Amino acid sequence: MAERTTSYQWSARGFIAPGVIMVAVVLYLPLLWTVFLSFTQYNGLGSPEWIGFDNYVDMVTDASFVGSLSNTLLWVVGTLIVPVGLGLAVALLTWNLAGGIWLRLPFLIPYAVSGIGVGVIWSFILSSGGALDQALAVIGITDPPRWLLDAPLNTIVMILASAWQGVGVNALLFTIGLQSIPKEPLEAARIDGAGGLRLFGSILWPMLRPLSAVVIGLSIVASLKTFDIVLGMTRGGPGRSSETLALTMYRETFNNSDYGLGSAIAVFLTVITLIASVLYLRQQLSRKHEM
């Protein structure tokens, strides 16, 4: 019997070995190499030169890095307020309506557009003298704000552009959650006179909490890694006023050929993403345990 168990275990290990090896080669080895490079000075040629924590010191003392960190945190807050909040509102407003799926469809279509595509579209709309400025000129507004040139306005309008892409999928996820709620508690609450905000706060939101934890968690991680929309709309400019951490990492690594500093920023971004994810999940799990 013990021999059979051992044989079965080795067979199982043989089946999972290719997947484990693939994950190690594709994920863990590059991660370890990035961590190593973050402690070196390396321009892509020759051998990396060990310099210890110098890259991390340069990173935290650089004013541009502090600006990128501030913009990234603004993205986190804006993403939670706008795309998640609007997605929940669209789901609630179209939930029990006849033909609600057709009302949600226009919000869902932009999700099929890539981040770079969204950046190009909204850059055409918001650039100086672009489509929005021309439309405002028709109604007599000849001195509109410089949407993509003034900070932090440029970051705010990029968050709104990102919301245009993300509202639909959030609305779809919340609609799935609403449709999974049993009818009996809703009917009992309506009989007791609950409606509107009271129904939402007492019945709908508590039952949506497990799904909302997933939606909010994914939004936090995605906003921390924001890259493509910023690249497509402003390339981090003017200057570096609208850069995020991901774009700063890209600039230092591939534009400036400073692989050590770029790796340090990548490690920092990975760490804060992991910390944010773990803290959020622990909070949700503790709240579930209390309930």
Side-chain angles (χ1 to χ4, degrees), residues 92 95 178 181 186 199-209:
L92 290 171
W95 171 31
L178 289 169
I181 296 176
L186 295 176
L199 180 65
F200 172 76
S202 301
I203 303 295
L204 296 180
W205 181 246
M207 291 190 173
L208 282 175
R209 188 166 290 161

Side-chain angles (χ1 to χ4, degrees), residues 20 26-27 29 68 74 77 80 96 103 148 158 172 190 217 232 254 256 259 262 285:
V20 172
V26 174
L27 181 62
L29 289 181
S68 298
L74 183 58
V77 175
L80 292 179
N96 282 326
L103 296 176
L148 299 179
M158 285 190 289
L172 179 62
R190 290 191 178 103
F254 298 106
N256 299 339
Y259 290 84
L285 290 175

Side-chain angles (χ1 to χ4, degrees), residues 64-123:
S64 297
F65 171 81
V66 176
S68 298
L69 179 59
S70 301
N71 289 334
T72 301
L73 295 177
L74 183 58
W75 269 94
V76 173
V77 175
T79 300
L80 292 179
I81 293 175
V82 185
V84 175
L86 288 179
L88 177 60
V90 170
L92 290 171
L93 293 174
T94 61
W95 171 31
N96 282 326
L97 290 180
I101 185 174
W102 299 108
L103 296 176
R104 290 189 295 271
L105 185 60
F107 295 96
L108 192 59
I109 291 175
Y111 189 68
V113 183
S114 67
I116 287 292
V118 172
V120 171
I121 292 171
W122 282 93
S123 178

Side-chain angles (χ1 to χ4, degrees), residues 9-269:
Q9 290 175 344
W10 280 108
S11 299
R13 291 168 183 168
F15 279 111
I16 67 173
V20 172
I21 294 172
M22 181 65 69
V23 170
V25 171
V26 174
L27 181 62
Y28 295 123
L29 289 181
L31 176 60
L32 293 175
W33 177 246
T34 300
V35 173
F36 168 73
L37 285 182
S38 70
F39 295 100
T40 68
Q41 184 176 357
Y42 184 53
N43 62 1
L45 301 174
S47 300
E49 177 185 351
W50 184 269
I51 58 173
F53 288 93
D54 288 357
N55 285 322
Y56 291 94
V57 174
D58 292 341
M59 177 183 72
V60 298
T61 56
D62 184 1
S64 297
F65 171 81
V66 176
S68 298
L69 179 59
S70 301
N71 289 334
T72 301
L73 295 177
L74 183 58
W75 269 94
V76 173
V77 175
T79 300
L80 292 179
I81 293 175
V82 185
V84 175
L86 288 179
L88 177 60
V90 170
L92 290 171
L93 293 174
T94 61
W95 171 31
N96 282 326
L97 290 180
I101 185 174
W102 299 108
L103 296 176
R104 290 189 295 271
L105 185 60
F107 295 96
L108 192 59
I109 291 175
Y111 189 68
V113 183
S114 67
I116 287 292
V118 172
V120 171
I121 292 171
W122 282 93
S123 178
F124 168 76
I125 295 173
L126 297 173
S127 60
S128 297
L132 179 58
D133 286 357
Q134 294 180 28
L136 293 175
V138 172
I139 60 176
I141 301 176
T142 57
D143 188 22
R146 304 193 305 170
W147 308 104
L148 299 179
L149 298 179
D150 294 333
L153 178 62
N154 47 17
T155 297
I156 293 173
V157 297
M158 285 190 289
I159 291 172
L160 295 177
S162 176
W164 175 76
Q165 182 188 35
V167 165
V169 68
N170 289 330
L172 179 62
L173 292 173
F174 280 122
T175 299
I176 294 172
L178 289 169
Q179 292 174 344
S180 66
I181 296 176
K183 295 182 179 179
E184 291 78 8
L186 295 176
E187 293 174 354
R190 290 191 178 103
I191 291 173
D192 290 339
L197 292 177
R198 184 180 176 187
L199 180 65
F200 172 76
S202 301
I203 303 295
L204 296 180
W205 181 246
M207 291 190 173
L208 282 175
R209 188 166 290 161
L211 179 63
S212 66
V214 175
V215 174
I216 293 174
L218 292 175
S219 297
I220 291 174
V221 172
S223 58
L224 286 171
K225 300 185 298 180
T226 300
F227 172 78
D228 45 6
I229 290 181
V230 180
L231 182 67
M233 292 186 68
T234 66
R235 296 188 177 273
R240 301 177 66 174
S241 63
S242 61
E243 273 191 2
T244 59
L245 287 177
L247 193 59
T248 301
M249 174 192 66
Y250 174 86
R251 182 189 299 276
E252 295 294 343
T253 304
F254 298 106
N255 290 357
N256 299 339
S257 296
D258 192 344
Y259 290 84
L261 182 56
S263 297
I265 298 172
V267 171
F268 177 82
L269 180 57

